């Protein structure tokens, strides 16, 4: 194992953590927006209920006028009845009176329905307003949670960025460049574990002698997967070299 590998494994771990944190932090404004969208639905309901209610009030006003108008007309015909000369004219007048009274009754029925509808639409306005108020409370809590979470993740990100320096600084310059180049092409990943003869990055087989070398204590070469190009490392116990003198920083852990 190349001596820089353990540090690079840590570097990759921190880099993955950093990009996950950045993605999460970037998602918060959208989540706040989504929360606000829920609110605009409740606001639209209130507006619609109010519009219905206003219309029902207008209908009611109009029906009140209809009732008054027909009542006026019936009264006018009744007042005329004293002055009628012929029997026929009297009959016609009686017919007009009956007709006007029927219209009064009809308009009064409609007026009653309109009053009930008005009460119903008023109830709906109040219910929609109550729902909006409730939604505003829920959204306010949600928004605070998102902001708190965002603050926390930003702190974690700052800590991870600081931690990254610890692992990045000691890596030799040429490996820094290699790491950056590969990571850029592979969505932030530059290293892949070699396990059971396979590259865990792409699943392809690793040539046996390379696989052997990866686990060899004395090996200081960097190997890359021939298929995906990721830098290979092994977490299996290192195979010590015969009379070995070099005790490297082998921080390998069994997986
Ligand atoms: Zn591979």
């Amino acid at each position: 194992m190349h001596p820089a590998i353990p540090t690079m494994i840590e570097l990759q771990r921190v880099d993955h953590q950093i990009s996950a944190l950045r993605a999460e932090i970037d998602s918060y404004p959208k989540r706040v927006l989504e929360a606000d969208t829920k609110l605009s639905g409740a606001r639209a309901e209130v507006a619609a209920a109010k519009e219905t209610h206003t219309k029902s009030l207008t209908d009611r006003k109009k029906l009140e006028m209809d009732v008054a108008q027909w009542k006026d007309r019936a009264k006018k015909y009744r007042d005329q009845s004293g002055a009628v000369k012929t029997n026929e004219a009297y009959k016609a007048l009686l017919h007009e009176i009956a007709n006007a009274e029927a219209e009064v009754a009809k308009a009064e029925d409609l007026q009653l329905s309109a009053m009930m509808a008005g009460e119903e639409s008023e109830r709906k306005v109040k219910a929609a307003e109550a729902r909006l108020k409730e939604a505003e409370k829920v959204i306010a809590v949600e928004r605070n949670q998102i902001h708190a979470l965002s603050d926390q993740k930003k702190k974690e990100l700052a800590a991870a960025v600081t931690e990254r320096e610890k692992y990045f600084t000691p890596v030799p310059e040429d490996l820094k460049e290699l790491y950056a180049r590969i990571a850029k092409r592979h969505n932030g990943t530059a290293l892949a574990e070699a396990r059971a003869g396979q590259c865990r990055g792409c699943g392809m087989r690793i040539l046996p002698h390379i696989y052997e070398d990866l686990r060899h204590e004395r090996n200081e070469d960097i190997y890359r997967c021939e298929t995906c190009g990721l830098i290979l490392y092994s977490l299996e116990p290192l195979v010590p070299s015969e009379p070995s003198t070099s005790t490297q920083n082998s921080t390998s852990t069994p997986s």
Side-chain angles (χ1 to χ4, degrees), residues 70 74 78 94-106 108:
W70 284 112
R78 253 186 258 106
L94 280 185
H95 178 75
E96 289 298 342
I97 292 168
N99 183 47
E101 276 169 354
E103 289 294 339
V104 169
K106 216 198 285 178
E108 277 176 344

Side-chain angles (χ1 to χ4, degrees), residues 192 199-204 225-230 232:
C199 162
R200 307 305 284 179
C202 67
M204 294 305 280
C225 171
E226 290 196 312
T227 310
C228 66
L230 295 185
L232 294 167

Side-chain angles (χ1 to χ4, degrees), residues 6 9 45 62 76 122 130 139 151 161 173 178 188-189 203 233:
I9 292 171
E45 271 179 42
K62 190 190 163 291
K76 196 179 82 194
E122 195 177 4
I139 299 305
D151 289 347
V161 168
E173 284 308 315
L178 185 66
T189 297
Y233 65 88

